[in-house]
Amino acid sequence: RTVSTIVSASKTKDARGGGRAAYPGWGMDGRRMHSKAHGVPPDRWCITKEDFRFLKAEIQAAIRDGRIRPTSLNPFDPNDRTVGPSMYSVVAGFIKPITADAGGMSWALLRHPEGCPCAMFITHCWAEGAFEFIDKVLWSWPMSAKGAWCCIVANPQNLDIGELVREP
């Protein structure tokens, strides 16, 4: 299946981070992209190894410009490039705002609006440091794998996913 109504990404810099050209799904309808009837199948809500590298750079930029900040629940050191902020902080300060502005889709479909073939499933701890997690993923990535499904980037963080997870 493919997503109808593709809106081309602007090459202008987005106020929240990387240029919109880095996000081909920008401006598309996230609810439709994730719908069972018309959307991209969930097993294609994946990102590549290169996307994980890009995500790490985007998180670092979000820390530098104050979108992701230490809190009482996540008092990470903004100068630390080894552990980084928790997944809670990354989703709240980066993933949710950028995907809301872009159209409500997951970060994976924002990067790959037609989806990306899935070769593996990655799980994580929400309190885990993002840099530590991403570095481990990159280090252990199988050479033949194209895409990976990981909930923080695969699930549309701004939509009610109850309908999506009702059936296995």
Side-chain angles (χ1 to χ4, degrees), residues 45-49 51-52 55 107-108 112 116 141 146-148 153:
W45 301 351
C46 298
I47 65 172
T48 65
K49 186 175 184 178
D51 292 325
F52 272 106
L55 177 60
W107 196 82
H112 302 278
C116 176
W141 194 279
K146 168 73 173 157
V153 295

Side-chain angles (χ1 to χ4, degrees), residues 103-127:
M105 71 291 291
S106 66
W107 196 82
L109 292 188
L110 180 56
R111 290 282 288 174
H112 302 278
E114 299 296 324
C116 176
C118 187
M120 62 184 157
F121 176 87
I122 299 173
T123 190
H124 65 89
C125 171
W126 279 86

Side-chain angles (χ1 to χ4, degrees), residues 21-119:
Y23 295 106
W26 195 277
M28 296 176 72
D29 180 351
R31 188 170 309 284
R32 183 171 178 84
M33 293 173 82
H34 288 280
S35 76
K36 287 185 179 184
H38 306 287
V40 177
D43 65 346
R44 294 185 58 83
W45 301 351
C46 298
I47 65 172
T48 65
K49 186 175 184 178
E50 293 75 29
D51 292 325
F52 272 106
R53 286 188 186 108
F54 179 72
L55 177 60
K56 184 176 180 181
E58 290 285 89
I59 294 167
Q60 290 169 335
I63 292 168
R64 279 192 306 275
D65 68 23
R67 288 176 285 149
I68 299 176
R69 297 184 181 119
T71 65
S72 60
L73 295 175
N74 183 211
F76 71 94
D77 177 359
N79 297 313
D80 168 46
R81 296 295 181 248
T82 304
V83 177
S86 73
M87 299 300 186
Y88 291 114
S89 294
V90 169
V91 169
F94 175 69
I95 302 279
K96 286 181 95 171
I98 197 168
T99 57
D101 287 351
M105 71 291 291
S106 66
W107 196 82
L109 292 188
L110 180 56
R111 290 282 288 174
H112 302 278
E114 299 296 324
C116 176
C118 187

Side-chain angles (χ1 to χ4, degrees), residues 122-145:
I122 299 173
T123 190
H124 65 89
C125 171
W126 279 86
E128 182 174 16
F131 300 149
E132 182 177 44
F133 167 73
I134 292 171
D135 288 344
K136 287 177 182 177
V137 166
L138 294 173
W139 183 84
S140 61
W141 194 279
M143 288 179 53
S144 63

